[in-house]
Amino acid sequence: MDKAGLAASFAEDVALLQSVGIRPVVVHGGGPAVTQMSARLGIETTFVDGLRVTDAETLDVATMVLAGKLNTEVVASLVSGGVNAVGLSGVDGRMLLAQKQTQEHEGPDLGFVGEVVHVNAHVLEALLAQRFVPVVASIAVDETGQAYK
């Protein structure tokens, strides 16, 4: 959505989906923005087999960028296009339940990288019933409340 005009076009598409009775849910990541912010903060980024190694410091950056800056930007672009959007993360309402991701082969620990094992759709259903478009940042939580990217 960094390209000129793409945010407006995206908002138009979401509005069109709603106008024909589809109830869209937007789920977003933002790896490049997390990498950029980590670099600005002097935090080294490491990848293993294309997956970011996420230590506690990197998880803080990912949460800040995904659930804060990027989520707000996506919601703002939708709202400016006439779409009633609400920003959330998978932590809200324990919407995205995750477990620690394990490497299928012997390899380094990826830290706080998780895989979603359950979606609690109650929050989404409530928002959709009121014609809001949920915009969900890809941060999840496990049974103990530990966040994962």
Side-chain angles (χ1 to χ4, degrees), residues 36-139:
Q36 288 174 338
M37 182 59 74
S38 294
R40 285 179 56 193
L41 297 172
I43 299 169
E44 183 180 338
T45 301
T46 304
F47 290 91
V48 174
D49 296 332
L51 298 173
R52 182 187 312 274
V53 177
T54 305
D55 59 12
E57 195 172 34
T58 304
L59 180 61
D60 285 346
V61 173
T63 301
M64 176 177 63
V65 170
L66 299 177
K69 184 178 184 336
L70 289 180
N71 193 273
T72 301
E73 289 173 356
V74 173
V75 170
S77 71
L78 289 169
V79 168
S80 70
V83 175
N84 287 327
V86 175
L88 306 158
S89 80
V91 176
D92 297 313
R94 296 173 57 103
M95 189 181 341
L96 300 179
L97 185 63
Q99 66 184 18
K100 183 177 177 67
Q101 185 168 335
T102 57
Q103 292 289 86
E104 291 186 20
H105 62 285
E106 295 283 326
D109 183 358
L110 296 174
F112 297 104
V113 174
E115 53 190 312
V116 174
V117 295
H118 179 74
V119 176
N120 177 357
H122 295 302
V123 173
L124 298 174
E125 290 166 354
L127 289 168
L128 291 167
Q130 297 299 313
R131 297 202 33 89
F132 284 98
V133 173
V135 178
V136 184
S138 57
I139 303 289

